[in-house]
């Protein structure tokens, strides 16, 4: 489920996973639950969409052009079927039966094809877990990634540049005529 209005975005999802498992002579049908809810806001005012943000002023396209910046927050939770542990499919001393995570992020859209993402996430486990010689009830992580969005382009289009002649523009030979299965704008 998602909702976008101007620079504001809201998204959520719930999932139920059912599995038939077997270990030694034991077998069971396990059901796990998970969900998340996230909100985002584009600080530079562009519209937020399910496919991301297209900066009004791509990075490097002129003086003071920095792309678009978006902040985001997410809460997520997972709960494993208690039978996972009581029937011996997982060790309750080394695995959590539930966890919740808080994520805070900054997305930098340099242009419509290039995004840098920076996230801090804290995951709290329902019980302390052993990590090597250390035992702790939570995990903190900082993640960074650079994402290039490849999509099918019409033969006359090119991937947008970030203002430098030839930089990224036309660097990927993916231009093809759209087919009924792959329409212009589809993400690979």
């Amino acid at each position: 489920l998602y909702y976008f209005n101007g620079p504001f975005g809201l998204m959520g999802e719930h999932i139920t996973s059912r599995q038939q498992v077997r270990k030694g002579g034991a077998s069971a049908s396990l059901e796990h639950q998970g969900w998340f809810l996230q909100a985002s806001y584009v600080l530079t005012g562009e519209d937020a969409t399910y496919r991301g943000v297209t900066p009004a002023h791509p990075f490097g396209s002129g003086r003071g052009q920095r792309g678009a910046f978006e902040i985001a927050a997410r809460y997520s939770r997972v709960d494993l079927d208690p039978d996972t542990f009581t029937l011996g499919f997982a060790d309750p001393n080394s695995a959590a039966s539930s966890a919740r995570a808080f994520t805070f992020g900054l997305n930098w859209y340099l242009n419509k094809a290039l995004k840098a993402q920076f996230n801090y996430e804290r995951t709290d486990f329902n019980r302390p877990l052993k990590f090597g010689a250390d035992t702790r009830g939570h995990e903190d992580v900082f993640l960074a990634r650079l994402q290039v969005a490849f999509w099918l382009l019409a033969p006359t289009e090119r991937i947008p540049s970030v203002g430098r002649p030839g930089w990224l523009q036309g660097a990927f030979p993916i231009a093809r005529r759209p087919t009924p299965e792959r329409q212009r704008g589809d993400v690979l």
Side-chain angles (χ1 to χ4, degrees):
L1 183 64
Y2 61 89
Y3 171 78
F4 291 95
N5 186 9
F8 176 74
L10 187 63
M11 185 181 304
E13 181 177 40
H14 179 271
I15 187 168
T16 299
S17 170
R18 293 180 184 94
Q19 302 173 339
Q20 288 295 122
V21 295
R22 209 174 261 143
K23 182 177 179 182
S27 66
S29 178
L30 302 178
E31 183 175 295
H32 309 299
Q33 304 283 326
W35 64 274
F36 79 88
L37 183 63
Q38 71 183 35
S40 63
Y41 186 80
V42 182
L43 297 172
T44 48
E46 290 87 347
D47 287 341
T49 70
Y50 185 76
R51 288 186 176 236
V53 175
T54 299
H57 306 287
F59 175 79
S61 61
R63 186 175 178 163
Q65 307 304 310
R66 294 186 175 92
F69 290 90
E70 176 184 47
I71 55 172
R74 178 177 56 233
Y75 176 80
S76 56
R77 182 173 176 90
V78 65
D79 295 295
L80 302 182
D81 189 317
D83 285 346
T84 304
F85 302 95
T86 58
L87 297 177
F89 294 107
D91 181 359
N93 297 312
S94 63
S97 62
S98 68
R100 62 184 183 156
F102 302 92
T103 307
F104 302 97
L106 173 68
N107 297 321
W108 178 23
Y109 296 88
L110 286 88
N111 59 41
K112 71 179 185 179
L114 194 59
K115 174 174 83 168
Q117 194 170 352
F118 307 94
N119 292 321
Y120 164 75
E121 183 169 290
R122 179 184 179 103
T123 303
D124 295 317
F125 308 112
N126 67 306
R127 63 175 155 262
L129 299 176
K130 197 163 177 95
F131 288 87
D134 191 20
T135 300
R136 49 186 181 204
H138 71 275
E139 179 179 62
D140 295 295
V141 64
F142 180 77
L143 303 164
R145 86 174 175 188
L146 185 63
Q147 177 180 323
V148 178
F150 295 95
W151 62 92
L152 297 178
L153 303 170
T156 58
E157 290 183 297
R158 294 186 179 271
I159 293 175
S161 75
V162 294
R164 297 186 188 119
W167 192 84
L168 190 62
Q169 191 165 7
F172 305 98
I174 61 171
R176 298 181 203 159
R177 292 189 187 281
T179 65
E181 299 83 35
R182 294 184 179 169
Q183 294 297 317
R184 184 173 165 193
D186 285 351
V187 176
L188 293 177

